[in-house]
Amino acid sequence: QVQLVESGGGLVQAGQSLRLSCVASGSIRRINTMGWYRQAPGMQRELVATITTGGGSNYADSVKGRFTVSRDNAKNTVYLQMNSLKPEDTAVYYCNVILQTSSTSPWFSHWGQGTQVTVSS
């Protein structure tokens, strides 16, 4: 069984910063891509940022230059540093990890429970 535990969400004013963390634990053999998605009320879930095992990253255009994704492979942890936050960044942020639980299992995509980020104007 795999668990993803997110932390770091909250309420901030526009222009401020937040740092999200997500720790993967449980029956994990190998982790591939880790990342963050978000879902605002009435909207579809959208990609925010992803990072590969080798450190290659990908960002949504709306967050480029403001958000930075990073990971600590030794701790099975992915981070999202969010600077210059805007009201339109308000959403529930979900951690996503693609991993294997054994050498013979396929790669599965796992999701965290979500953490609320609210940015006031």
Side-chain angles (χ1 to χ4, degrees):
Q1 192 169 356
V2 174
Q3 290 185 325
L4 302 183
V5 179
E6 300 143 335
S7 60
L11 171 63
V12 297
Q13 293 186 329
Q16 293 186 326
S17 299
L18 280 175
R19 189 191 195 210
L20 305 182
S21 300
C22 173
V23 181
S25 63
S27 181
I28 299 171
R29 180 178 182 270
R30 283 196 302 171
I31 293 178
N32 195 328
T33 301
M34 308 179 83
W36 295 91
Y37 291 71
R38 68 186 180 186
Q39 188 167 19
M43 305 292 286
Q44 289 189 332
R45 190 172 298 187
E46 63 175 2
L47 179 145
V48 176
T50 60
I51 183 167
T52 65
T53 305
S57 57
N58 180 48
Y59 296 92
D61 288 343
S62 58
V63 307
K64 283 180 181 177
R66 299 188 299 122
F67 291 10
T68 302
V69 62
S70 61
R71 62 191 283 172
D72 185 331
N73 292 327
K75 296 181 179 179
N76 290 344
T77 301
V78 61
Y79 305 97
L80 185 67
Q81 178 66 43
M82 304 184 292
N83 298 330
S84 303
L85 282 161
K86 304 176 181 180
E88 50 264 43
D89 294 318
T90 295
V92 177
Y93 284 70
Y94 296 91
C95 170
N96 177 262
V97 176
I98 299 173
L99 59 84
Q100 270 186 322
T101 55
S102 73
S103 61
T104 58
S105 68
W107 294 95
F108 273 124
S109 177
H110 296 259
W111 294 90
Q113 80 285 357
T115 184
Q116 177 69 46
V117 171
T118 303
V119 184
S120 63
S121 58

